[in-house]
Amino acid sequence: MEASKEKIILNVGGIRHQTYCSTLRAFPGSKLCQLLEPQGRANFNYDPDTSEFFFDRSARLFGDVLNYYRTKHLHCPADVCRLLWEEELAFWEIPQARLAPCCWMKLSNTDGPEEEFLLEGDSDSNNEDSLALLGQMERRDFHLWARWQPKIWALFDKPYSSTAAMSLMIISLLFNTGILILFFMEPTTYLEYNHFNDSIASGTFHVALKGSFREAISLLYVELFCILWFTFEFSMRLIFCPDKKKFLTNPLNITDFLSLFPVYIELSLTGHSDKMLDALFWLGLLRVLYVIKLLKIFKLLETPLMLRILPFTFRSILKEVFILMVIFVFEVLFFGALCYHADLQSPEAHFGGLTDSFYWAAITLTTVGYGDMTAISPFGRAIACCTALCGILTIIIPLPVFFIKFQGYYATAVTKERMKRNKRSN
């Protein structure tokens, strides 16, 4: 029999496949090609009675593998798990890079950052694992620190670990609510403005800032009382946290730390506030962090699935967001400068300079359009129309990318939630 017509029988998962030996020689070095080597029968499971090689693998998947040797084009089934298909390719020593273009999307739909989402898990599972690990440390080591560190950490950071922890969390939220009421009800300091008419004939009206403050000391001390509680809470969580690096890089913990400073600094400046106008102004802006501290309420509630997915979605589109911002800045500079020079000869031009035109371009591109600045000349209005159209396209085009990413994460998260429920029920 001719070498090209010699046949070989492969029994894969109980299904017999028969093909030519020349077909298996299409890819030298692969596992099926090694069957034809002189030591192939000794290295693999060969049955001399039936003259066939046996492999305990999926017969359905092997059909696509064998078809790859016949056609030189690797395709994958539409309803197969990506990890299972990659494992099958690795067993037969077939590189995934040779996958046909028509099947790339079948394997890339769940590829990429969603694996990271599956591996990281949600906060509930992490909390349970950390508490279990700390409990094991406590049982293994009866040292004073090893006994009390996990208990105090759970007391201040895990509201569902005990009744006392829940009570402390509620107390913290009450303090947070109180300090927000102080922040919104009446500022601790406020500026007094003195207006005077400098030149009535010319119609010029000037406003002078007299750096004068009136301090509400009583409210400041009430705010200090709330901050003292937050300082105690933050110190205890910092001292007894199991991972200092992770604790200090958490955005909410950074917010807690920065929100401690305004009251302390303002009390140190009592009596010198007229000289520290700029400093007190920035301290007032820093007090806005009190609002962000309210996010701790999510520790008392089960975080909705969509809110847990959003950070992963945003992280996966950082590159697209950066490109979008670069395009947006280019459009602001281009259309702003173009419209400024188009209206330069108009006596009723609204643009006092390039900075005003850049502000107008940013507002127009985002489709806000306050109307405080508009193009006057016909050519300037034509440019304004083009600016608005480009702004709409710039906003609309990236939206499908975000939706596709979010849909993939959401499908993965729903699958994981079902797996968790099945595990708990079992």
Side-chain angles (χ1 to χ4, degrees), residues 48 83 187 281 341 374:
L83 297 179
F281 170 75
H341 288 91
T374 57

Side-chain angles (χ1 to χ4, degrees), residues 40-325:
R41 297 184 179 183
N43 294 338
F44 298 95
N45 190 0
Y46 178 75
D47 188 354
D49 296 333
T50 57
S51 301
E52 63 184 22
F53 289 91
F54 177 78
F55 293 94
D56 190 14
R57 306 296 298 183
S58 172
R60 184 171 67 94
L61 296 181
F62 180 73
D64 294 282
V65 173
L66 186 58
N67 188 58
Y68 171 53
Y69 282 80
R70 293 166 177 161
T71 63
K72 309 297 188 298
H73 296 287
L74 179 61
H75 299 270
C76 67
D79 55 345
V80 67
C81 173
R82 177 178 60 86
L83 297 179
L84 180 62
W85 178 247
E86 290 179 353
E87 181 183 352
E88 196 71 18
L89 295 180
F91 176 81
W92 298 109
E93 300 177 1
I94 298 175
Q96 185 182 343
R98 296 177 182 174
L99 190 66
C102 60
C103 295
W104 285 348
M105 291 301 297
K106 296 179 183 178
L107 296 186
S108 60
N109 284 338
T110 57
D111 197 6
E114 294 175 13
E115 294 182 357
E116 177 185 351
F117 180 72
L118 281 171
L119 293 175
E120 289 191 17
D122 54 17
S123 57
D124 295 337
S125 60
N126 288 340
N127 291 343
E128 295 174 359
D129 295 342
S130 61
L131 286 175
L133 180 59
L134 292 174
Q136 293 177 3
M137 293 173 58
E138 179 184 356
R139 289 191 294 269
R140 292 177 182 177
D141 190 354
F142 293 96
H143 190 269
L144 185 63
W145 172 263
R147 287 203 308 268
W148 288 101
Q149 186 266 340
K151 294 180 180 179
I152 298 178
W153 168 249
L155 184 65
F156 283 90
D157 198 73
K158 314 294 180 186
Y160 286 99
S161 61
S162 64
T163 305
M166 178 63 71
S167 302
L168 283 177
M169 177 58 67
I170 294 176
I171 292 174
S172 180
L173 288 176
L174 290 177
F175 273 106
N176 203 351
T177 304
I179 204 172
L180 277 177
I181 292 175
L182 293 175
F183 176 67
F184 291 123
M185 182 180 65
E186 183 179 355
T188 56
T189 58
Y190 66 91
L191 287 171
E192 295 178 351
Y193 294 91
N194 292 332
H195 304 272
F196 63 91
N197 196 341
D198 185 48
S199 177
I200 299 178
S202 61
T204 304
F205 186 77
H206 298 275
V207 178
L209 175 63
K210 177 184 176 183
S212 177
F213 284 83
R214 188 166 65 189
E215 301 176 357
I217 298 297
S218 58
L219 294 180
L220 188 61
Y221 284 138
V222 175
E223 185 179 2
L224 175 63
F225 178 71
C226 297
I227 290 297
L228 287 175
W229 166 261
F230 293 135
T231 304
F232 167 73
E233 181 189 26
F234 182 82
S235 302
M236 296 297 291
R237 293 171 61 237
L238 176 61
I239 293 173
F240 292 97
C241 70
D243 189 348
K244 297 290 190 299
K245 182 179 179 181
K246 184 177 180 181
F247 179 86
L248 293 176
T249 54
N250 187 289
L252 283 180
N253 294 333
I254 296 175
T255 300
D256 291 340
F257 178 71
L258 293 178
S259 64
L260 302 177
F261 289 98
V263 175
Y264 294 135
I265 296 178
E266 187 169 342
L267 283 175
S268 65
L269 297 176
T270 303
H272 305 281
S273 52
D274 290 343
K275 301 178 181 179
M276 300 297 294
L277 178 64
D278 294 336
L280 291 176
F281 170 75
W282 289 109
L283 290 178
L285 291 180
L286 202 58
R287 282 188 168 92
V288 179
L289 295 177
Y290 294 159
V291 181
I292 303 179
K293 290 168 66 68
L294 271 181
L295 293 177
K296 286 186 177 181
I297 196 173
F298 286 116
K299 288 188 176 182
L300 296 177
L301 305 173
E302 183 179 358
T303 307
L305 186 61
M306 288 188 178
L307 291 182
R308 298 204 303 267
I309 295 172
L310 284 177
F312 295 96
T313 306
F314 182 76
R315 192 184 307 171
S316 66
I317 61 172
L318 280 178
K319 182 179 179 181
E320 289 81 359
V321 170
F322 175 75
I323 296 175
L324 176 64
M325 295 306 299

